[in-house]
């Protein structure tokens, strides 16, 4: 046989592209249209329905960027159609508001009835609305003129990400609002062809099945008359029936297909638009469920459902019904799909508390799986938190984006820093928005790494980010591939059923220990410094507010501000979404975040002030509030007392053009360029700075990644660097040395200080930043032979190599740390802490003298141009401290010290803490009242040093007993090594173990 494969395939492509689509609708008829342009921000449907609508014609341009137009659609189906309705046709309303591309970055619309109830949405691949052909049509469409900020991801600066610069000219043209007579047989033929053609192209050339499909498609092309597709489509389907009916191989891979619509809670659109995207998508989903009872859809964000509950109550009740029916499935167990590198320990725990409580309260669902496909790497602390939240499974997808190494497993047990393991799946389809095409299904089958041990994987399908979610075409693809020779089998089911099935067939999968580091998007540890600073400050203010409000409730009977604290927690948790906190959103999003953080700070400061007044009473005593987990200046941890600070003065002496700072505990030498040439601690007397090197060295790099500007730092940035050694001035200012530098269009003022009694040199960096596509680093080369670094993560720390022995080591050229990093060798180490910086790089190098230098560099600021061309421009204050002669425990102390400064107030009397912990390795992370508002006190502690630690916890509050509880404050079995004796609890914690106590309120 002659090889005419390419000829047949090209013939098929042209038939589908130019003939078949045009034949889908037998006839169309225009609807009657009128419109109202919303003058400002979107309005509720009730307000829109009260407006005056004016006639509008097809072809009219509409919608300034981010604007809204309401379209009123009326009319009747043509009488001539009614006789054909029983002949395999259905009437629909087809809407094209002027789509310019694919789903998610385009115009979108939501249809309402005149009573304000929701129908469904319109998006580029989902353009129809149902119509009752026997009744007049009366619909209102809310059209959103969302601009395409992505612009095919060319990563060029754009003004569209800010309402003030996006412009006023309309960006869409109304193209079609027609009644349409859809031919069901032609539609079914289209789906047959899509399934078979996709499968054919996924199969290898040497497989007979590929050629059998090709010839069947060729026979179909011969049978269907391009001039009369409607009349010959049924005959064409018969030509495909045999190849469609062949069952799958017994050894075929099994795919569990779960409907999904990955909706970023903010990204290339503001949060307010995400609310509408959620309503549109969920309206589509529940409408699809009405027609397809076997369809299952997973929704992973409690915040998004809360938006729908509050803004679209009728739609939310429909969702509630579908949850009860098992079709709409809450998953994820988190408030949002959060970044997991930068949120602090308690904030990460509260993502689960808030998310799972919402699902329990609203739907009675306790989600067994954590669903987090798109976060930029996964903290090694997560497995323990997943299990402590009551979940047992974890799903991720983003690791498929790795640029250097391929993840060796798709189904595995993930082990966290404390040893906890969680059954984990990484779908081999390598995307979280599949359309169930033959390409996707074939890729999943070929890519699956557990061949021979497992047989099943999960495929999330549906258009995301406002694209409307799953479609009827995707469900048609699932139906045709339920059992189809050459294809993996496809079953519509729930995530929980998938996990149970996968775990049952693969009870002993391989173990991956430690973080799931994403070998991409490393710039997200640094971009948008104000957003990151707002997050860090909010986390610590929330700790203070809960601690003092709880203490005031117990000690003084004060009212505990449950509602306000919950509202503020939810606002902070929202900002931790994986495109907000990482700094990868448009300017609008980050301006909103900054305003939200300012509101959070104001609200929490008021709560703290009210609690402090209730606790200390009236008086003239100077009192210090210590919210930290360790005593400070004579004030007990978690208590209020008169401080007794170290009063020994810091000596500052001039040496040449530089200065020496010495407080008796640490000695720092600063040269005439403001660089640290020596740093020693009195306890060891050892020099921390490497011979011939200088610390406090600012370094400016060219920062132009290949793509994903705000997201990425590419390794080659290191090859272009300017050391900012020259100072404009180096002066003494009281007990500090002040260094001024200028570079490019920017300036920086550094204040180097050794406070009395401090064991760390603190450096405050006031930066007026006006660079573009630059990366500013702060370097400290230490005389330490460290083969690994320790970086704080949630409830502990993670070790990473300082060498590049393997490609896995090399890929970690930029790492994330929270409040501190530590480098050391046996007997000596140095801790570097920060108040809002997350990006670091740490490397070891050999010196000519035979020694080793371990250099710690903090990434202070970036200046990407996309998606926010004004990213980080302006003033910043970033604080860093360097503690020589430090253990890991000292690093933990320093991290809390720089982030939780004590408060000084005037009051009547000191206040004893509600509890004391005997071992500083066991850290109190949260003290709060119980979520159920019972008045019980909840205390969360963790082992912080990575060693097995025993501590005595002495309670100083009336109570009726103590329970050990999970994150949702439900009783769990007491851990081993626990002794309770009245008001004292003795616990032995394994490394990094998190423990939550519930102290029951005393009965009346």
């Amino acid at each position: 046989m002659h090889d005419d494969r390419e000829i047949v395939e090209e013939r098929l492509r042209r038939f589908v592209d130019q003939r078949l689509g045009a034949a889908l609708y037998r006839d169309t008829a225009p609807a009657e249209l009128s419109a109202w342009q919303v003058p400002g921000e979107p309005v509720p449907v009730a307000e829109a329905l009260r407006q005056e609508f004016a006639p509008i014609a097809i072809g009219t341009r509409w919608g300034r960027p981010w604007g809204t137009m309401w379209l009123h659609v009326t009319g009747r189906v043509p009488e001539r159609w009614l006789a054909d309705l029983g002949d395999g046709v259905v009437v629909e309303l087809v809407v094209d508001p002027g789509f310019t591309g694919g789903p998610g970055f385009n115009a979108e619309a939501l249809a309402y009835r005149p009573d304000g109830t929701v129908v469904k949405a319109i998006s580029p691949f989902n353009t129809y609305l149902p119509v009752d052909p026997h009744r007049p049509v009366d619909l209102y469409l809310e059209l959103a003129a969302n601009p395409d900020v992505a612009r095919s991801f060319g990563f060029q600066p754009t003004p569209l990400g800010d309402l003030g610069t996006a412009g006023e000219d309309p960006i869409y043209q109304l193209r079609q609002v027609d009644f349409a007579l859809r031919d069901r047989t032609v539609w079914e033929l289209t789906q047959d062809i899509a399934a078979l053609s996709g499968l054919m192209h996924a199969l290898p050339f040497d497989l007979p099945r590929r050629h059998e499909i090709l010839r069947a498609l060729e026979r179909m092309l011969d049978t269907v008359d391009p001039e009369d597709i409607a009349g010959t489509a049924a005959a064409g389907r018969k030509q495909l029936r045999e190849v469609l009916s062949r069952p799958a191989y017994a050894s075929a891979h099994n795919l569990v297909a779960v409907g999904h619509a990955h909706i970023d809670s903010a990204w290339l659109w503001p949060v307010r638009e995400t609310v509408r995207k959620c309503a549109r998508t969920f309206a589509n989903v529940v409408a699809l469920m009405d027609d397809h009872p076997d369809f299952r859809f997973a929704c992973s964000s409690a915040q998004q459902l809360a938006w729908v509950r509050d803004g679209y109550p009728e739609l939310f009740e429909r969702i509630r019904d579908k949850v009860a029916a098992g079709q709409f499935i809450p998953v994820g167990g988190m408030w949002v799909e959060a970044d997991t590198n930068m949120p602090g320990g308690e904030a990460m725990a509260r993502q689960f508390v808030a998310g799972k409580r919402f699902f329990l309260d609203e739907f009675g669902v306790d989600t067994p799986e954590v669903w987090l496909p798109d976060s930029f790497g996964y903290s090694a602390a997560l497995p323990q938190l997943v299990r402590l939240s009551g979940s047992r499974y974890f799903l991720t997808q983003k690791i498929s984006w790795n640029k250097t190494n391929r993840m060796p497993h798709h189904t595995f047990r993930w082990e966290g820093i404390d040893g906890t393991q969680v059954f984990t799946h990484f779908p081999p389809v390598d995307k979280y928005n599949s359309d169930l095409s033959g390409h996707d299904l074939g890729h999943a089958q070929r890519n699956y790494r557990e061949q021979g041990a497992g047989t099943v994987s999960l495929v999330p399908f549906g258009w995301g980010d406002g694209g409307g979610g799953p479609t009827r075409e995707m469900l048609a693809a699932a139906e045709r591939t339920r059992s189809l020779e050459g294809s993996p089998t496809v079953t519509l089911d729930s995530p929980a059923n998938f996990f149970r099935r996968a775990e049952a067939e693969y009870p002993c999968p391989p173990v991956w220990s430690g973080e799931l580091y994403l070998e991409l998007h490393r710039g997200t540890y640094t971009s948008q410094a104000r957003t990151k600073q707002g997050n860090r400050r909010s986390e610590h203010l929330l700790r203070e507010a809960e601690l003092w409000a709880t203490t005031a409730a117990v000690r003084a009977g004060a009212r505990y501000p449950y509602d306000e604290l919950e509202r503020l927690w939810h606002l902070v948790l929202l900002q931790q979404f994986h495109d907000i906190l990482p700094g990868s959103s448009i300017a609008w999003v980050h301006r909103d975040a900054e305003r939200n953080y300012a509101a959070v700070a104001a609200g929490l400061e008021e709560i703290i002030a009210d609690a402090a007044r209730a606790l200390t009473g009236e008086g003239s005593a100077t009192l210090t509030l210590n919210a930290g987990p360790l005593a400070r200046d004579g004030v007990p941890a978690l208590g209020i007392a008169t401080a007794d600070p170290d009063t020994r003065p810091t000596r500052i002496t001039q040496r040449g053009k530089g200065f020496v700072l010495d407080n008796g505990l640490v000695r720092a030498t600063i040269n005439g360029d403001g660089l640290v040439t020596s740093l020693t601690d009195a306890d060891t007397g050892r020099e921390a700075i490497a011979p011939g090197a200088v610390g406090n060295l600012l370094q400016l790099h060219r920062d132009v990644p290949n793509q994903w500007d705000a997201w990425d730092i590419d390794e080659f940035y290191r090859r272009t660097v300017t050391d900012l050694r020259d100072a404009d001035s180096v002066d003494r200012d009281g007990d500090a040395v002040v260094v001024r530098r200028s570079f490019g269009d920017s300036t920086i003022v550094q204040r180097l200080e050794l406070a009395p009694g401090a064991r760390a040199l603190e450096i405050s960096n006031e930066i007026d930043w006006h660079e573009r596509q630059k990366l500013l680093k702060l370097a400290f080369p230490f005389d330490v032979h460290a083969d690994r670094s320790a970086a704080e993560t949630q409830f502990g720390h993670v070790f990473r190599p300082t060498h590049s022995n393997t490609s896995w080591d090399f890929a970690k050229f930029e790492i994330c740390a929270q409040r501190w990093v530590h480098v050391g060798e046996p007997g000596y180490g140095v801790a570097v802490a920060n108040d809002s910086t997350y990006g670091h790089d740490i490397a070891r190098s050999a010196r000519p003298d035979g020694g080793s230098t371990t250099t710690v560099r903090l990434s202070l600021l970036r200046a990407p141009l996309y998606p926010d061309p004004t990213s980080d421009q302006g003033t910043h204050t970033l604080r860093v401290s360097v503690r020589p002669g430090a253990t890991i425990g000292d690093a933990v102390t320093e991290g809390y010290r720089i982030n939780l400064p004590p408060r000084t107030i005037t009051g009547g009397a000191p206040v004893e803490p509600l509890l004391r912990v005997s071992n500083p390795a066991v850290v109190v992370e949260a003290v709060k009242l119980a979520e159920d508002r019972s008045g019980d006190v909840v205390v969360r502690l963790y082992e912080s040093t990575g060693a097995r630690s025993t501590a005595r916890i002495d309670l100083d509050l009336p109570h009726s007993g103590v329970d050990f509880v999970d994150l949702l404050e439900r009783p769990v079995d007491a851990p081993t090594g626990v002794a309770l004796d009245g008001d004292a609890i003795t616990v032995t914690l394994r490394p990094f173990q998190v423990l939550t106590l519930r102290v029951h309120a005393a009965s009346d």
Side-chain angles (χ1 to χ4, degrees), residues 17 24 60 71 74 86 130 201 218 316 334 368 415 477 488 495 528 629 638 673 729 739 757 792:
D17 292 345
L24 181 60
T60 301
L71 193 66
T74 57
H201 285 97
E218 185 178 36
F316 188 75
M334 299 173 72
E415 182 178 84
Q528 298 287 0
L638 318 178
D673 288 319
S729 63
V739 182
E792 188 188 35

Side-chain angles (χ1 to χ4, degrees), residues 471-518:
T471 64
R472 60 189 179 187
E473 289 77 16
M474 295 175 192
L475 293 181
E479 179 184 355
R480 285 159 174 78
T481 53
R482 184 181 294 114
S483 179
L484 180 61
E485 182 187 349
S487 171
T489 66
V490 176
T491 304
L492 299 175
D493 209 341
S494 69
N497 284 343
F498 159 76
F499 274 110
R500 283 190 285 266
R501 180 178 171 186
E503 191 173 31
E505 77 162 11
Y506 202 14
C508 298
V511 175
W512 179 274
S513 183
E515 67 182 326
L516 292 169
Y517 177 93
L518 178 64

Side-chain angles (χ1 to χ4, degrees), residues 11 97 150 160 186 218 225 251 261 279 295 314 377 612 635 731 751 779 939:
R11 180 186 176 194
L160 294 172
V186 173
E218 185 178 36
D225 182 355
S251 59
F295 168 49
E314 176 264 339
V635 182
D731 303 300
R751 186 178 182 89
V939 179

